[in-house]
Amino acid sequence: MADKVLMKGNEAIAEAAIMAGCRHYFGYPITPQTEVAAYMAKRMPKIGGVFLQAESEIAAINMVYGVSSTGHRVMTSSSSPGISLKSEGLSYLAGADLPALVVNVQRGGPGLGGIQPSQSDYFQATKGGGHGDFRMIVLAPASVQEMADLTVKGFDLADEYRMTAMILADGTMGQMMEPVEIPKIEKKEFDKSWAVTGTGMGRKHNIVNSLSLAPAELERQNFERFQRYGRIQEKEAMWEEYRMEDAEYCLVAFGIAARVTKAAIDEARKKGIRAGMIRPITLWPFPEKALAAAAEKCVSFATVELNMGQMIDDVRLAISCKRPVKLIHRAGGIIPSPEEVLRGIENMEGGAEK
Amino acid sequence: MDFKRIVIFSGHYGSGKTNIAVNVAHHLKKTRPRVAIADIDIVNPYFRTEDSREELERDGIRLIASPFAGSNVDLPALPDEVYAITDDIGLSAVVDVGGDDRGALALGRWREGLMAEGDWEMLMVVNCFRPLTRDADSALEVMAEIQAAAGMPFTGVVNNSNIGDDTAPRDVLSSDGYAREICRRAGLPLKMTTAKAELIPYLEGKIENLFPLRLQDKIR
């Protein structure tokens, strides 16, 4: 009926995944990502797809492993404690070099925590996400439209680099409703000659496995994997710059925190404070070059986070500690107000109040 | 606009039930001495009537809501106070039901009381810009599921077709045919068409039974 639809972030992820050709969804219910599963439960049977509510998160991620081995696009979604349960499976996916899309609509932690919005799984997502040497591509949407667009992008990146791409969203992104244009998909071809699809007695067996008996072979695999990661770091970092042209003060924020920060920057500018923002869209690879460039012209940095300060370490590394980095944050499911962030900007080192 | 003593809003989740319920409660308070709004959503712990507590209480409207709404407790519990809507016949009540058939299940608890009482109406809120109720077929499917779960029939339809901040008058105008098709096929009247207050001047004379909405604040 219309070009645009009014969607919750969780629904946008589900619909975009379907548009991207995903016909296999395995999950286990948890707030605040419930609508991803609810949407899949309604839509998948109508389009010949599979929606399966597994007996646990651990079962769901292993079903993802199984389908991915056959070369099909597959996804699962959960929220913080559920992702912890899936972390063993995430490591196995990495060890077997299998593509998958995993969604984490975070809640406050640690432990069972709470259901209100949080960004406290930044470490878990960007530093691997399970045991062993590995990375996931981590995408951080800041609007319902990006929930859709980055889902499509995530599937493409996962297939191209044979690894897990994670959508790291928060409860607000999952629950809020905004107009969305469902992305038009250009069909891309990816090499899936490694998939276990039956040899038809016509080719050598493919083997999908994360166990290596010979240490030398396991080392070779690790080195090969990290060469791939190097190419990703070189090519795939995405970020948005906001009012950075003449900025003296550089804010760094992602997801819902970036939206609040934008509003605070506009207020700061009215007071004559030249603030700007770098919003990482990929949290891994982290937009290191953009930050290093900003360190050449900005006097001071601050991250705005819904946690106790996690991304702040990556900012310090990216700018080689050349400038002071301050933390403006709330935790436990509370979003800072634009006024709070503005006060934080006013108190940045070398800032107006100092 | 005239309403029964008990006005129940149900529909697909995200169709705008809570916003409409809050606005209708304020509307009723202008002419009725005692008005309550009961939030019996057992599905979604977010975007609750609780978010409007301050303005409701300022207007003297009694809010009946789960003590857990807006907290970290994700528990489908309802307060015993909800029985006031059927027991206290001097009370004018707006009932905000949770989304879809799962949400409507809660209504089953009050079905007998409501049926015996008689002075109620149950309105299906529809929005053609929501992906799972984009056409009359899918909206009627959701409607049938809700009626089966609640064990109660709808008495009318509310057309709340909107696309958030992007809504233009033509979007509301073009949705009229959608709402009328749902009504025709369900054999129900179109109770009202809701739109944010700023749009009303552009719709007057073109659409009947308009009801202006004041929207809750949200994050930009």
Side-chain angles (χ1 to χ4, degrees), chain A residues 5-275:
Chain A
V5 284
L6 185 63
M7 283 184 132
K8 282 197 177 213
N10 286 336
E11 297 172 326
I13 285 177
E15 183 59 34
I18 290 168
M19 296 304 288
C22 175
R23 291 292 178 276
H24 298 84
Y25 172 91
F26 305 99
Y28 188 81
I30 184 169
T31 305
Q33 63 79 54
T34 314
E35 293 83 5
V36 180
Y39 195 92
M40 288 300 195
K42 281 229 187 246
R43 287 274 281 133
M44 281 299 198
K46 291 181 179 166
I47 53 172
V50 174
F51 163 83
L52 199 149
Q53 182 173 320
E55 67 268 36
S56 71
E57 284 88 348
I58 297 168
I61 193 72
N62 284 292
M63 291 170 186
V64 168
Y65 183 106
V67 168
S68 184
S69 303
T70 68
H72 288 94
R73 284 194 161 176
V74 55
M75 73 178 284
T76 186
S77 61
S78 193
S79 177
S80 310
I83 295 293
S84 291
L85 285 167
K86 289 182 205 279
S87 64
E88 183 196 44
L90 291 174
S91 179
Y92 278 57
L93 284 164
D97 295 311
L98 289 172
L101 187 84
V102 175
V103 177
N104 181 2
V105 185
Q106 301 161 91
R107 45 198 270 164
L112 196 50
I115 60 171
Q116 301 300 332
S118 167
Q119 298 179 327
S120 55
D121 300 347
Y122 178 93
F123 283 155
Q124 187 191 36
T126 59
K127 309 301 171 195
H131 64 278
D133 260 334
F134 79 97
R135 295 288 192 174
M136 297 186 291
I137 292 164
V138 184
L139 303 157
S143 67
V144 177
Q145 184 67 54
E146 275 192 357
M147 291 284 257
D149 296 344
L150 294 179
T151 295
V152 176
K153 178 87 182 166
F155 273 112
D156 284 350
L157 289 171
D159 275 346
E160 184 168 349
Y161 295 103
R162 286 184 65 178
M163 61 191 287
T164 294
M166 174 176 275
I167 304 286
L168 190 71
D170 60 73
T172 326
M173 279 298 128
Q175 293 296 324
M176 74 193 296
M177 289 174 77
E178 286 181 331
V180 177
E181 217 167 301
I182 293 301
K184 298 260 184 303
I185 309 294
E186 28 171 328
K187 187 92 179 106
K188 292 185 193 141
E189 291 299 325
F190 295 96
D191 173 27
K192 298 233 170 156
S193 58
W194 47 265
V196 283
T197 53
T199 63
M201 307 304 276
R203 61 164 168 82
K204 255 188 79 194
H205 288 97
N206 282 338
I207 295 172
V208 172
N209 195 1
S210 75
L211 172 69
S212 276
L213 295 179
E217 169 59 15
L218 185 55
E219 187 192 42
R220 190 198 61 75
Q221 286 174 9
N222 271 286
F223 273 93
E224 185 280 323
R225 199 170 290 127
F226 271 71
Q227 276 173 9
R228 212 177 334 142
Y229 293 167
R231 290 203 300 279
I232 296 169
Q233 284 173 296
E234 196 53 45
K235 274 177 62 184
E236 306 294 354
M238 293 193 290
W239 70 92
E240 179 199 357
E241 295 191 7
Y242 183 69
R243 304 188 84 161
M244 280 298 290
E245 309 77 31
D246 61 343
E248 279 186 280
Y249 303 98
C250 179
L251 284 292
V252 189
F254 67 95
I256 190 66
R259 292 172 69 136
V260 179
T261 303
K262 261 189 191 176
I265 286 170
D266 291 344
E267 288 308 308
R269 288 265 172 179
K270 283 183 202 157
K271 293 184 161 194
I273 303 169
R274 292 200 313 229

Side-chain angles (χ1 to χ4, degrees), chain B residues 41-121:
Chain B
D41 191 340
I42 54 165
V43 179
N44 192 323
Y46 308 99
F47 305 115
R48 300 290 288 265
T49 324
E50 179 68 37
D51 302 338
S52 305
R53 177 178 285 278
E54 222 173 284
E55 51 148 312
L56 287 165
E57 285 178 349
R58 213 181 305 130
D59 201 13
I61 296 166
R62 174 175 168 195
L63 172 62
I64 302 173
S66 160
F68 306 124
S71 80
N72 273 333
V73 185
D74 189 5
L75 203 64
L78 296 172
D80 52 3
E81 255 195 293
V82 179
Y83 287 97
I85 62 176
T86 46
D87 295 354
D88 182 355
I89 56 165
L91 187 67
S92 192
V94 177
V95 183
D96 178 12
V97 183
D100 291 348
D101 47 341
R102 286 174 203 84
L105 210 56
L107 205 51
R109 185 67 194 83
W110 286 274
R111 184 174 64 89
E112 272 181 44
L114 286 165
M115 290 302 209
E117 146 78 27
D119 194 6
W120 58 272
E121 59 191 313

Side-chain angles (χ1 to χ4, degrees), chain B residues 1 158-161 168-180 190-195 199-212:
Chain B
M1 192 163 302
V158 174
N159 180 16
N160 185 44
S161 291
R170 65 168 185 282
D171 296 320
V172 182
L173 292 170
S174 71
S175 71
D176 197 44
Y178 156 86
R180 289 191 184 279
L190 183 57
K191 174 85 182 184
M192 57 185 183
T193 297
T194 47
L199 295 180
I200 296 292
Y202 303 96
L203 303 171
E204 265 167 349
K206 293 171 187 158
I207 286 189
E208 295 163 13
N209 300 327
L210 285 167
F211 188 93

